[in-house]
Amino acid sequence: MRCVVAMICLLCSARLFAQANAVADFVDSYANTHHYSGSILVQWHDGTRLARSYGLASIPLRVANTPRTRFKIASVTKVFTSVLILQLVEQGRLDLDQHIKTYLPDYAGEAGSKVTIQQLLNHTSGLPSFDAIVDQATALRDGIPVYQLPHTSDQLLAQFSGGKLISTPGEKFNYNNADYVVLGKIISRLYGQPYEQVLKERILDPLHMIDSGVLHHGDIVDRLADSYWYPDGRKVLSRELPVYPENWYAAGAMYSTTDDLLKFAKALFAGRLIAPATVQQMIRPGLDEYGDGVWSYQLTAKGTKHPVIKRPGLIMGTQAQFFHVMDQDITIIMLGNTSVIDSDALVEDIARRAIQ
């Protein structure tokens, strides 16, 4: 009987190894054809891993991307903020059904006594858009004051997160960085520490995520990839617009590596950061199939629907994907530094090929 079990395990391993090679061939071909620049990591439930890096971290200096390259991760930051909020819930220090003013009594906007913490988490607060950018052409012509001028987190809260509501809280999904700026300030207020210090002590240090942190305009971050984008229809890569990355705050200011984000994924889905029941609450889809900081939906692969969690991040040339196939325990991390592909489509293509 033991011989039979061992043979079955051997056959499964061989089948998965062959599948991983097929995924690798697809990723290599796609990257070469589409001039992808970044790092891609796929890990299966048994630890089988595919790790690839392509393109350049610095185009003028001809520095290649490697698995150790650090990338801006944009809105993947929101998953970390969501976890920090849910940790406070588990500690009994925060109630998701309470309003903003319960935890930020000096909050000046209309939302203070009308919007709950849960509505901030799932983007149904009704707060006006934090970015107020109509399109790329407008950003190029007029600039992006909220990001191109220095702001403290208190200024972000007062100037861009405290206006009149544009819809009734809870009624509409409206993706908005302002929601997570408010959440970041609540985290900071309840811990009595800056958001990034709480992030470091509650998540990064315990998981030994030594290649992750929060970006600041004045800091030089070793091994951080530059990002490049297409600013117009000429399809010529250019440097990003100059910005203060810390202005994305708890909504999108982090950097990381594929390996560090894999550590985070393992801990999150194993219930080591928040309890399994809380993870299920976090990923329960609401309006627009959005949970608490992540999209949660069914992906059809090989004729079967699979529950998946996706958290993309996009800021100019930054393209990040944090993706997990729940029923097969497959994690896909994509961190890119050029805006030359559709990363949402690519991560789903990889997942369909990775699913057994």
Side-chain angles (χ1 to χ4, degrees):
M1 182 64 180
R2 289 181 180 176
C3 292
V4 173
V5 172
M7 182 62 71
I8 291 172
C9 291
L10 185 62
L11 289 172
C12 290
S13 296
R15 190 179 301 116
L16 186 51
F17 181 75
Q19 186 177 22
N21 282 337
V23 173
D25 289 342
F26 165 73
V27 171
D28 287 344
S29 175
Y30 184 98
N32 292 331
T33 301
H34 294 82
H35 307 291
Y36 177 74
S37 182
S39 291
I40 297 175
L41 186 153
V42 184
Q43 180 156 307
W44 284 263
H45 64 91
D46 69 342
T48 299
R49 180 185 294 201
L50 163 67
R52 290 286 196 273
S53 293
Y54 309 92
L56 299 172
S58 171
I59 291 177
L61 298 179
R62 311 305 292 174
V63 176
N65 283 319
T66 75
R68 297 188 68 237
T69 301
R70 294 163 166 171
F71 295 89
K72 303 162 192 172
I73 65 171
S75 285
V76 176
T77 304
K78 290 183 175 71
V79 188
F80 290 82
T81 300
S82 179
V83 168
L84 291 174
I85 285 290
L86 294 173
Q87 286 180 343
L88 285 165
V89 173
E90 291 187 337
Q91 294 166 21
R93 300 171 64 184
L94 185 145
D95 183 340
L96 294 179
D97 293 325
Q98 289 296 319
H99 297 107
I100 294 171
K101 271 187 172 293
T102 304
Y103 307 105
L104 297 176
D106 50 348
Y107 184 91
E110 179 186 7
S113 57
K114 296 182 178 180
V115 172
T116 67
I117 311 307
Q118 181 59 64
Q119 289 162 350
L120 294 170
L121 281 170
N122 61 23
H123 291 305
T124 61
S125 68
L127 282 171
S129 175
F130 182 68
D131 302 289
I133 301 169
V134 177
D135 53 40
Q136 187 165 298
T138 302
L140 288 169
R141 185 185 67 243
D142 301 335
I144 317 172
V146 65
Y147 299 121
Q148 291 184 298
L149 296 174
H151 292 90
T152 66
S153 58
D154 286 337
Q155 289 172 331
L156 291 172
L157 185 72
Q159 292 180 234
F160 302 104
S161 305
K164 293 283 187 180
L165 294 173
I166 60 172
S167 62
T168 302
E171 285 192 355
K172 295 181 180 180
F173 176 84
N174 178 39
Y175 187 79
N176 185 0
N177 284 330
D179 293 329
Y180 277 71
V181 168
V182 179
L183 290 171
K185 293 304 294 182
I186 289 172
I187 291 166
S188 178
R189 183 69 62 88
L190 290 180
Y191 279 103
Q193 295 178 305
Y195 168 83
E196 64 185 283
Q197 185 64 29
V198 179
L199 173 69
K200 185 175 187 296
E201 293 181 3
R202 298 291 308 179
I203 298 179
L204 303 187
D205 284 353
L207 298 183
H208 305 289
M209 294 177 64
I210 60 174
D211 284 317
S212 304
V214 173
L215 293 160
H216 292 273
H217 179 70
D219 293 347
I220 296 174
V221 178
D222 186 37
R223 292 181 279 113
L224 179 68
D226 294 328
S227 297
Y228 307 91
W229 70 326
Y230 291 148
D232 51 42
R234 295 179 301 140
K235 300 297 181 183
V236 176
L237 285 174
S238 302
R239 291 187 180 275
E240 294 183 318
L241 295 175
V243 294
Y244 287 81
E246 60 266 42
N247 288 9
W248 273 276
Y249 189 51
M254 286 182 65
Y255 66 87
S256 192
T257 62
T258 52
D259 279 345
D260 264 11
L261 288 182
L262 180 62
K263 292 176 184 178
F264 176 69
K266 285 181 177 179
L268 175 61
F269 295 114
R272 290 193 284 118
L273 288 172
I274 50 178
T278 308
V279 174
Q280 291 304 310
Q281 172 187 326
M282 175 184 181
I283 67 176
R284 186 180 299 121
L287 297 179
D288 199 58
E289 299 183 311
Y290 197 80
D292 295 343
V294 296
W295 273 272
S296 179
Y297 61 100
Q298 301 283 319
L299 178 72
T300 300
K302 299 178 174 66
T304 303
K305 290 185 176 181
H306 301 271
V308 300
I309 304 305
K310 183 174 77 170
R311 176 64 264 180
L314 175 64
I315 296 175
M316 289 181 282
T318 297
Q319 289 191 317
Q321 291 284 348
F322 178 88
F323 195 97
H324 189 74
V325 184
M326 294 295 293
D327 61 342
Q328 299 215 350
D329 192 21
I330 298 171
T331 299
I332 304 170
I333 308 294
M334 289 174 43
L335 300 179
N337 64 320
T338 60
S339 61
V340 299
I341 65 161
D342 181 343
S343 66
D344 288 307
L346 176 57
V347 76
E348 289 193 353
D349 280 347
I350 293 173
R352 290 190 179 96
R353 288 167 169 81
I355 287 171
Q356 294 179 283

